[in-house]
Amino acid sequence: MNIETMSRRSFLKISAMALAFLPFDWEKAAAYAAAIEPKSDYPVVIIGAGLGGLCCGAYLARSGLPVTVVEKHVIPGGYATAFSRAGGKFTFEVSLEGTSIHNNDTAQLLRELGVLEKLELVEASEVLRIKGPDFEMVVPQRDPDALVDLLSKQFPEEKEGIRGIVQEMLGIGEENQRLAQLKGKFSRMAFPMQYPRMWKVRNETLADLLNRFVKNPQLKDALSAQWGYYGLPPSKLSGFYYAIAFGEYLRNGSYYIKPRSQELSNLLAGTIQEAGGKILYGSAAEKILIKDKAVTGVALSGGKTLPARAVVSNASALTTFKEMLPPEAVPPEYLEKLNGYRPSLSSFIVWLGLNQELKGRLRGYHHPVKSGQGPEADYQFSLKGDIEQGSFGVISYDSLFDGYSKPGTATLTLLFLTGYEPWRKYEADYRGGRKEAYIKEKERWTNILIQRAEKEVIPGLSSMIEVKESATPLTNWSFTRNTEGAIYGFEQAMSNSYMTRIDNRTPVGGLYLAGAWGNPGSGYTAVLRSGQITFGKLMEDWQG
């Protein structure tokens, strides 16, 4: 398509893409915040202490604005947290496998908040492990050429296509950075020539993007190996979304937060409190109060009400708009749009505390157990809860740094992505405290994963287990109140991904989103960015 035939829809999509990736103008936002007086007249209530809410709260508090974070749990973090068992003998990571928070915009965000210098990031031994039917390869850190070489040795007839697709993904990221440096200023007519890679990928799924360069189905599966981090298979996942994230991992590497992801959550919470903000743990937000089509406060469990000039929801967008607001406050067309989006996949996780170390028995930290049927089939296995056939991951965190587990022990995580439907039948009883059938099914799934991990990865695993804990989509719901236990907020479908992702500014006056349900989406870097974006929008609106 040439520049003369660029459609209005395409231009709007490109415009949204540009705006979604603008560098955050901290000086401008800080100036807006400094001009607000008296600040005591601008209280903000944040619902949920996940990373998005904590990030937004930290910006607000450091700007001198009164902010109160309301959190149902007794600790901050949402999924970015950890827990201990056996009197502290074992401490388990809840969600983090690796993050690209290094030498990028997210690192700068944490630097602005005074958090980065306090955070200890450990470089993982690998950026990616790819396992096929008859091969397994480990991709080293910050070396895209190594990925090209490894795949080319396995698929020599596809060498040119492999180099082409890797360069394309990296190039999409580079074009995006160049556009960001110009603060999103671009010529509508010249865009396809100035940013050809972004222009090509605008309407492509990951499958479409891969099809432009390679043919071998096994190779396509290898290049889409990280689809599970985003919750959709190649046929449904945005090619742009995947390319941006995949390219950033290849360029910047993968890192772990020492000692656990809880440290990042604690540091952000501490930043809020040190700057004068408040965090109310063990408090559930029940209703968002409205007057004259704008928020006025938040009603908490126990009868307390917090006044608010603005409310930022780090909770499920569906819960926020369908349960916490009066029906007449939400425009019907907006609710219809929300109902058109689907919650993402959830997870079934088994945490194991072992009575012996795994050093010398496992190399690296992420060990995929594949179904051998590819990501499209695996996605269907996940939706149906076919834990006997679907792929899953075995994560051995002890390889990340010495001392992760206590001497003579090891910590292991088994992770299977699952849809909510297999667990929906237990929902009513679970919420009513009648969990007998639910516990029996959870134990069955737990034993299946342990047996599969024992067969494929760690012989004799069953005999090493000292502590065993597992979590289902209903567990996720219990701790986060995320609709259907979703771990990625709304799924990153083509209709709701980065370029077209739902706006953090909502049609209800003074109500904003921050976190995985909003823009730009899920993942540690994305939800932190979401909190930052929301702070900027809030300052703009208060200056307007």
Side-chain angles (χ1 to χ4, degrees), residues 521-533:
S522 61
Y524 277 55
T525 58
V527 295
L528 287 167
R529 172 76 166 133
S530 181
Q532 184 191 55
I533 289 170

Side-chain angles (χ1 to χ4, degrees), residues 453-531:
E454 185 169 35
K455 178 182 178 181
E456 300 289 342
V457 183
I458 309 171
L461 174 62
S462 297
S463 65
M464 308 176 196
I465 298 172
E466 182 174 331
V467 170
K468 178 175 62 176
E469 188 73 63
S470 53
T472 72
L474 287 167
T475 314
N476 293 343
W477 170 84
S478 177
F479 281 97
T480 68
R481 288 300 190 265
N482 272 354
T483 304
E484 298 187 359
I487 57 175
Y488 301 132
F490 283 125
E491 66 178 14
Q492 292 284 348
M494 291 293 290
S495 61
N496 188 26
S497 179
Y498 271 134
M499 295 169 270
T500 56
R501 189 73 172 179
I502 184 174
D503 196 341
N504 290 354
R505 183 185 282 119
T506 81
V508 177
L511 179 59
Y512 301 80
L513 300 176
W517 297 87
N519 189 298
S522 61
Y524 277 55
T525 58
V527 295
L528 287 167
R529 172 76 166 133
S530 181

Side-chain angles (χ1 to χ4, degrees), residues 79-84 88-99 115-116 118-123 255-267 351 365 395-406 411 413 524:
Y79 290 130
T81 187
F83 66 95
S84 297
K89 185 175 181 178
F90 298 99
T91 300
F92 299 104
E93 171 64 55
V94 168
S95 68
L96 182 64
E97 290 186 39
T99 176
V115 169
L116 186 65
K118 302 174 186 177
L119 200 64
E120 186 172 359
L121 295 171
V122 178
E123 183 176 277
Y255 298 81
Y256 185 75
I257 297 168
K258 187 177 181 180
R260 306 290 190 275
S261 65
Q262 184 72 61
E263 183 66 12
L264 173 58
S265 302
N266 290 345
L267 287 170
W351 294 278
Y365 75 104
I395 303 100
S396 175
Y397 288 100
D398 294 280
S399 65
L400 290 171
F401 58 86
D402 291 336
Y404 190 96
S405 298
K406 294 185 182 298
T411 304
T413 298
Y524 277 55

Side-chain angles (χ1 to χ4, degrees), residues 211-517:
N211 286 339
R212 281 204 272 129
F213 292 91
V214 295
K215 298 178 180 179
N216 188 294
Q218 290 186 24
L219 174 57
K220 292 177 184 178
D221 291 351
L223 285 165
S224 60
Q226 286 188 308
W227 76 269
Y229 290 148
Y230 315 113
L232 285 175
S235 65
K236 298 179 181 293
L237 182 61
S238 162
F240 176 75
Y241 178 83
Y242 189 88
I244 289 287
F246 191 75
E248 188 155 274
Y249 273 105
L250 289 179
R251 277 191 304 270
N252 297 328
S254 180
Y255 298 81
Y256 185 75
I257 297 168
K258 187 177 181 180
R260 306 290 190 275
S261 65
Q262 184 72 61
E263 183 66 12
L264 173 58
S265 302
N266 290 345
L267 287 170
L268 287 168
T271 297
I272 292 171
Q273 293 168 318
E274 289 164 11
K278 299 177 182 179
I279 303 180
L280 303 181
Y281 294 112
S283 297
E286 293 189 340
K287 296 294 180 183
I288 298 171
L289 306 179
I290 299 289
K291 183 179 180 180
D292 297 330
K293 299 182 179 181
V295 303
T296 60
V298 174
L300 308 182
S301 55
K304 186 176 181 180
T305 298
L306 299 175
R309 187 75 168 258
V311 173
V312 176
S313 178
N314 190 192
S316 160
L318 293 171
T319 300
T320 300
F321 286 94
K322 298 173 76 171
E323 298 180 20
M324 301 183 73
L325 287 163
E328 65 274 12
V330 185
E333 62 274 12
Y334 187 77
L335 191 58
E336 183 180 359
K337 180 171 72 171
L338 291 183
N339 287 333
Y341 300 147
R342 289 179 51 178
S344 76
L345 289 175
S346 187
S347 60
F348 183 84
I349 306 177
V350 178
W351 294 278
L352 300 175
L354 307 183
N355 60 15
Q356 58 185 272
E357 297 180 9
L358 292 177
K359 289 182 179 178
R361 301 191 63 170
L362 288 177
R363 296 182 62 185
Y365 75 104
H366 185 256
H367 303 268
V369 177
K370 294 294 187 180
S371 69
Q373 299 187 48
E376 301 296 332
D378 278 332
Y379 177 67
Q380 294 301 319
F381 290 146
S382 292
L383 289 177
K384 298 173 184 176
D386 192 342
I387 198 161
E388 295 177 328
Q389 290 195 77
S391 296
F392 70 100
V394 178
I395 303 100
S396 175
Y397 288 100
D398 294 280
S399 65
L400 290 171
F401 58 86
D402 291 336
Y404 190 96
S405 298
K406 294 185 182 298
T409 70
T411 304
L412 202 68
T413 298
L414 314 180
L415 170 63
F416 174 75
L417 294 178
T418 179
Y420 189 70
E421 288 308 312
W423 296 92
R424 190 181 298 277
K425 59 188 174 185
Y426 303 103
E427 180 184 272
D429 284 345
Y430 181 92
R431 296 187 182 190
R434 301 176 298 275
K435 299 183 180 181
E436 293 81 3
Y438 162 80
I439 290 172
K440 184 177 180 180
E441 182 68 357
K442 183 171 76 165
E443 188 67 17
R444 186 180 76 85
W445 280 42
T446 298
N447 290 334
I448 289 172
L449 278 192
I450 291 173
Q451 291 164 11
R452 292 185 65 190
E454 185 169 35
K455 178 182 178 181
E456 300 289 342
V457 183
I458 309 171
L461 174 62
S462 297
S463 65
M464 308 176 196
I465 298 172
E466 182 174 331
V467 170
K468 178 175 62 176
E469 188 73 63
S470 53
T472 72
L474 287 167
T475 314
N476 293 343
W477 170 84
S478 177
F479 281 97
T480 68
R481 288 300 190 265
N482 272 354
T483 304
E484 298 187 359
I487 57 175
Y488 301 132
F490 283 125
E491 66 178 14
Q492 292 284 348
M494 291 293 290
S495 61
N496 188 26
S497 179
Y498 271 134
M499 295 169 270
T500 56
R501 189 73 172 179
I502 184 174
D503 196 341
N504 290 354
R505 183 185 282 119
T506 81
V508 177
L511 179 59
Y512 301 80
L513 300 176
W517 297 87

